[in-house]
């Protein structure tokens, strides 16, 4: 490492040091290049802290007014891009404070009374994440609205339902889309829980033990819209479980988005041809002129890896840390910021895409007709006529064998053939063997009957707000 010739007095904590920080160490330990994202929240936190110090008689009215004016100017400079970030000031907190002092003089030096960067950063990230969750949930609501609208449009549209990716039983497309909505509803609940649990204010915990000034932590907390102050100063400055909890909820959400994306990718292939995605969400190939690739869903499927990686990074970052604050925690920001951006943008992309997705009912219907999808309905029919389910299963198995031998669907067997397998079979058997009959029969809550899909869609809509 090469030695820096910077003056050690340029650091805010330089007082007890006798040589300047090594230049590489300065770069290595600085975080302003990424934590500048927190500036807005840092300033908001400082405003609330100054307000509280004034209310408690620690800052004069004049000092408070100076600090407010100075913070406004710092905020303007940062948003205008004219703010000069200085590496020797390490992070967003010290950059903002140093500039404040440059602008207003001595009152700026008093802002840090009764606080530390440790409670400051723990507050900033909470404020940042609280707001990020609101905007992520906004995109989530857009996506869910699109799914519910489409479910209503396609409440009667029959498609094959799969298990093992083999045609199993017919379902409605609306029912399938509402399955996606259910996944997202739980994801949304996890985000809401996380936002509620993180909404306590660390300010006043100071470095780790609290502060000897006569502060009012309730006032600071309420000025910042927190539910209250955090309970324990050591815990407040050290744990990043709220960031881990968020990233975990984000990773689960991304896993769901990836499953949706995967189905869209399968559905748009020529082999399935179930849906059409508008050209504006697809791209072509530089060599194969006929190609229209589902890039947006593919990218979403690919981006899951990042968020799962960030979850592992954050939970690993935390696991070995003794109380209270350790510099390790500076590593929380980049994974968290990227998880926020990735889940937000992926939700946004799907929220744009889903309403534009067009089903191809004929192709879906043709596919639903492959693989004897109403065989279970035949067995259920026999059970209703008094045959035990296991015997019915056996009879239908034989019927499927006969149909296969003839190269037709079990629903296309003649009445005579069916009767030869069981004399319980009557003319009415063909009603249950149709695709419409099969879906309409599943007429209970959670079932695929069009009437149930419509009812479920309207409950899902009511749950949107
Ligand atoms: N940049 C630091 C972080 O992100 C702020 C807290 C620094 N505190 C300290 N005692 N060095 O965690």
């Amino acid at each position: 490492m090469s030695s820096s010739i910077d003056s050690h007095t340029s650091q805010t904590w330089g007082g007890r040091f006798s040589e300047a920080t090594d230049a590489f160490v300065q770069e290595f330990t600085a975080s302003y290049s990424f934590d500048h994202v927190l500036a807005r929240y840092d300033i908001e936190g400082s405003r609330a802290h100054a307000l509280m110090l004034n209310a408690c008689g620690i800052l004069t009215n004049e000092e408070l007014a100076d600090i407010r004016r100075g913070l406004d100017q710092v905020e303007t400079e940062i948003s205008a891009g004219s703010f000069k970030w200085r590496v020797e000031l390490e992070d967003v907190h010290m950059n903002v404070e140093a500039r404040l002092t440059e602008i207003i003089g001595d009152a700026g030096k008093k802002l840090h009374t009764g606080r530390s960067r440790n409670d400051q950063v723990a507050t900033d990230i909470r404020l940042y994440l609280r707001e990020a969750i609101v905007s992520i949930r906004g995109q989530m609501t857009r996506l869910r609205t699109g799914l519910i609208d489409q479910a209503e449009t396609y409440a009667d549209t029959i498609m094959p339902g799969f298990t093992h990716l083999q045609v199993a039983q017919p379902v409605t497309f609306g029912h399938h889309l509402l399955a996606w909505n259910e996944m997202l509803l739980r994801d949304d609940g996890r985000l809401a829980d996380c936002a509620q649990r993180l909404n306590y204010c660390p300010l006043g915990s100071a470095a780790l033990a609290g502060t000897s000034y006569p502060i009012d932590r309730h006032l600071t907390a309420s000025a910042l819209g927190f539910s209250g102050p955090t309970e324990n100063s050591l815990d407040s400055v050290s744990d990043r479980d709220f960031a881990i909890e968020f990233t975990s909820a984000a990773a689960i959400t991304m896993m769901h988005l990836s499953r949706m994306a995967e189905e869209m990718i399968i559905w748009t292939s020529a082999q399935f041809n179930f849906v059409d995605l508008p050209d504006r969400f697809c791209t072509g190939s530089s060599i194969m002129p006929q190609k229209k690739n589902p890039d947006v869903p593919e990218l979403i499927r690919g981006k899951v890896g990042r968020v799962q990686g960030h979850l592992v990074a954050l939970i690993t970052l935390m696991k070995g840390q003794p109380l209270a604050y350790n510099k390790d925690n500076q590593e929380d920001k980049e994974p968290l910021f990227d998880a926020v951006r990735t889940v937000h943008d992926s939700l946004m992309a799907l929220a744009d895409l889903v309403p534009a997705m067009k089903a191809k009912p004929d192709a879906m219907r043709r596919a639903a007709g492959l693989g004897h999808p109403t065989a279970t309905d035949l067995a259920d029919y026999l059970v209703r006529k008094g045959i035990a389910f296991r015997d019915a299963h056996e009879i239908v198995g034989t019927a499927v064998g006969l149909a296969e031998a003839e190269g037709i669907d079990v629903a296309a067997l003649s009445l005579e053939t069916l009767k030869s397998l069981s004399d319980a079979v009557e003319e009415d058997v063909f009603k249950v063997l149709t695709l419409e009959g099969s879906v309409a029969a599943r007429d209970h809550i959670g079932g695929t009957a069009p009437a149930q899909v419509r009812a479920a869609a309207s409950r899902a809509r009511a749950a949107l707000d």
Side-chain angles (χ1 to χ4, degrees), residues 194-225:
C194 174
Q196 202 182 10
R197 225 183 322 278
L198 71 75
N199 200 32
Y200 290 86
C201 186
L203 279 178
S205 302
L208 77 165
T211 175
S212 55
Y213 295 95
I215 59 169
D216 179 351
R217 295 193 60 215
H218 287 278
L219 202 164
T220 322
S222 84
L224 290 169

Side-chain angles (χ1 to χ4, degrees), residues 31 35 91 93 117-118 121 325 329-330 333:
S31 57
D35 69 15
D91 56 23
H93 322 291
R117 279 186 293 155
N118 297 352
V121 69
Y325 176 85
N329 278 341
Q330 186 163 290
K333 289 168 199 65

